[in-house]
Amino acid sequence: MRQSEPATYPSERRRRRRGLIAVGLAALFAVAVVTFVADRGALPTAADTAARTISEVQGTGAESPLVGSVVTVEGVVTADLRAGGFAGFYVQTAGSGGESDATPGASDAVFVYLGSGADPASTGATLGDLVRVTGPVSEHQGLTEITAATPGAIDVVPSGGVTPAATDLPDTAIDAEREALEGMLVHPAGTFRVSDSHELDQFGSLWLTAGPETPVTGTEQARPGPLAAAASEKNRARRLVLDDGSSARLNQGDEQPYFSGATVVRAGDTIVWPAQAWVLSYGFDDWRLQPATPIEVAGDPAPPTFAQTNPRPLGPPSVGGSVRAATFNVQNYFTTLSSDNPQARGAATPAQFRVQKSKIVSAINGLGADVVCLLEIENSIRLGEPIDTAVADLVGGLNAALGTPTWAFVPTPESLHDAAHTDFITTALIYKADAVTPVGPSVTRLPAAGLENTRAPIAQTFQMSDRTVTVVANHFKSKSGDGPDPSDGQGHSSAERVRQSRSLVALVGELQSASGSPDVLMLGDFNAYAEEDPILVLSEAGFVDLLHDLAPGEYTYLYDGEMGSLDHALATPSLAAAVSGAAVWSINSAEWAGRGYASGLADPASPFRSSDHDPVLVGISP
């Protein structure tokens, strides 16, 4: 029963897409618990009280047919969340549940709300007690409840009752199909995988997806429109939030209810359920599993464990070729500390920066690439430092780790030395000098009118053995923007990204003429999924989306519980014919953000969670 996370991810896309709403949502969450336990509005009253079964109160629809009535019900206390801040507990009809269902289509459990400020021990009722509850029926944020806030509204029945049994919750029961079990004891049956851990650090809740299929964002699978929307709606219907029974907001570094520093759990790993049952609840627009008591308050019930069905890769993928190129979003690599300059976007302290740098160095040196396109690296000139300060620092770290001057960087084109034409983050190209040789200076194309606030591409021609290849580093405008996302599912600023694609097509033609070679490789974060308009423009121009074609089912980014690829490697047809392979090195997107550089759980020597985007690797044959 927690509010959806205000999604304050540190990456450029997540920072800016939700940056404008993060403050509002943070403030909203600050009162969310108060809203849950206090703001029920005017409660209904009635002259007479009717004895009802809980199933009659629940009914067979999404809402109770008795809203506005005062009822008396009996049930066994199955989950007590008073100590967790939710001011109430769940009761279920004695003897109900299990394999038989005496009330098909109707739940036999309901939430009992005790009122704002209720003493956790005020009613005397405890787990396992049979209680008689009297109060008005209402719906609160989609959850049916009975308010028992007046003296004498709850009586413990001395004779007790038969303990309810848990009912199987199959992984095939999604969305509205769960309504008949609202508030009841359940035991998940089938496959439930971790789909997103981004709420864990703040709210103690973990997103799961029902069924074995990976949730893939709609516009990664289909063109924007009904088919893409249906795919995302299905993903949403399969979501199930594993909550911790508490309304307390966690701080970074707090002990988490489900993950620990000692055990690696990744998106795609499978839940191994303990023997005890959970209560199927609803709140803040999601179906939720609540423990019998808050996990952070009591040692029992025990949290589930996880089977590593999506284990960490042992090394980078094999893509063949004599030269390998990669794209890697380095998640705001800033040598300027954000504590020293509020316009910086990366590490806040020297200690954080050392961890960030060490992890990114480990990832790039471990990637096995000869040319790497970098995204979200500091544009030093915008912060009053010499041009290329940050990329030079990273190259220095790469070489220091190797013990030899292996890496070099492509200087930023002269036309981008004017800070007025640039963003606080930029693209960059680095390369191994013994593997490829730059030909001529780097090139860019300044944004056209109306695109002044977008990042310019940076291109460099290389001699790769017998092949002359021009590599273009791109970082398209993000999906952030004011108000709700556009209805086509492509996020804000799709038109601007389309214009950037068209500009890139024109630039590639110029680069081919200048180099005398048709071979061009476009790398980067295009902030567009495979079936969205900006990628369609490039595909219709004849470019080949290598990852989409050669590595189906591999994705670079996780957002709102859905996988997809914002990062692409597109090649001209002549170069695509020489590509030996393309793949994703899954070191970041599936990882818990709590292992990033700003956390005490970060491993400086590990490439895992060095960023929030996974690198893409491409092999090129002679």
Side-chain angles (χ1 to χ4, degrees), residues 596-608:
Y597 69 82
S599 168
L601 296 177
D603 176 3
S606 166
F608 295 102

Side-chain angles (χ1 to χ4, degrees), residues 17 36 39 41 62 68 70 119 131 182-183 268 270 282 345 362 402 412 437 470 508 526 534 564 567 605 612 622:
R17 177 175 181 182
F36 186 86
D39 184 15
V70 177
D119 184 340
V131 295
E182 182 188 84
T270 305
Y282 191 87
R345 301 178 182 178
S362 174
L402 294 173
T412 297
T437 303
T470 301
V508 168
F526 291 77
D567 310 270
D612 54 350

Side-chain angles (χ1 to χ4, degrees), residues 170-174 178 189-195 208-215 238-240 268-270:
D171 59 10
T172 54
I174 61 175
R178 299 166 177 166
T191 301
F192 291 83
R193 297 182 186 273
V194 176
S195 61
L208 312 179
T209 190
E213 300 85 8
T214 298
R238 293 166 57 205
R239 184 188 302 167
L240 183 64
D269 284 349
T270 305

Side-chain angles (χ1 to χ4, degrees), residues 62 173-181 237 287:
I174 61 175
D175 201 22
E177 298 170 30
R178 299 166 177 166
E179 185 70 37
L181 298 175
W287 287 102

